[in-house]
Amino acid sequence: MTSFDLEQRFALALVPARSFQHVVTPEGQRRALACIHRHLVPGGHLILDLFDPNFELLFGGASKAAPPREAQHPQSGHLVRRTVVARQTDPFRQTVHEVLRFEEFDAAGNVAGSEETSWSLRWSMRQETAYLLELSGFEVIDLFSDFNRSPPDYGREQLWIARARQ
């Protein structure tokens, strides 16, 4: 995300599902936004989906860990559970590192499969993101806290809509 060339320009760039936050340094985030900016036509738009940091989850300790999330596997129909096994935060770097366990349960409730993975994310406060976008050649058009265009609200989404300045 920090170094690419598609040899085309577009009217719209979407960075969904908090994927931008996997770039865990401010320098990397600026490089990613520079690449995106180069790929937009003059006046093209960027939609950036970030999480608004929930400090109770980030700094509340193990007792405040997020509850497991469950969904139905689309092919098997089995229950799939995602559990945060470990979480480390670095307030200075504004990062969170999580170890996740995914378990699939068969119809009898037995574990049919299990896998662990991890990820690191960098959180940004709204004002910091506004400055980052401006520094990277974007004009902020709007900011919402959900996909229904609700105004910004603590602990929800940050849905940024910005236009590339030329």
Side-chain angles (χ1 to χ4, degrees):
M1 189 183 300
T2 62
S3 176
F4 61 92
D5 185 0
L6 301 176
E7 299 180 6
Q8 302 184 61
R9 296 181 88 183
F10 304 90
L12 176 64
L14 301 171
V15 187
R18 304 165 176 175
S19 57
F20 183 77
Q21 291 175 292
H22 288 278
V23 181
V24 295
T25 65
E27 298 80 16
Q29 290 179 337
R30 287 193 304 271
R31 286 194 311 271
L33 288 171
C35 284
I36 293 167
H37 194 278
R38 281 194 306 273
H39 284 82
L40 288 172
V41 299
H45 287 82
L46 166 65
I47 299 177
L48 189 62
D49 176 15
L50 310 175
F51 72 83
D52 198 31
N54 182 331
F55 293 114
E56 291 177 11
L57 289 176
L58 294 173
F59 301 113
S63 64
K64 299 282 187 177
R69 296 178 70 182
E70 296 181 343
Q72 186 175 20
H73 191 287
Q75 279 97 21
S76 68
H78 293 163
L79 173 72
V80 176
R81 179 178 297 141
R82 183 194 83 174
T83 305
V84 177
V85 178
R87 175 182 288 125
Q88 297 171 313
T89 59
D90 183 337
F92 181 73
R93 290 184 177 85
Q94 293 177 220
T95 58
V96 59
H97 177 78
E98 292 182 328
V99 177
L100 307 165
R101 179 180 303 126
F102 291 87
E103 297 171 293
E104 182 175 351
F105 297 88
D106 64 20
N110 300 311
V111 176
S114 179
E115 182 177 327
E116 284 194 8
T117 189
S118 65
W119 62 16
S120 295
L121 299 169
R122 183 175 190 279
W123 71 79
S124 301
M125 302 304 292
R126 288 186 212 120
Q127 194 61 47
E128 177 186 5
T129 302
Y131 288 144
L132 180 63
L133 288 166
E134 181 182 340
L135 178 68
S136 301
F138 291 93
E139 171 191 4
V140 174
I141 304 298
D142 226 328
L143 171 61
F144 303 110
S145 67
D146 61 26
F147 296 101
N148 294 318
R149 299 181 178 216
S150 298
D153 192 15
Y154 170 73
R156 299 188 61 199
E157 298 291 314
Q158 292 182 28
L159 296 172
W160 294 86
I161 301 171
R163 180 177 22 245
R165 292 189 317 255
Q166 298 302 69

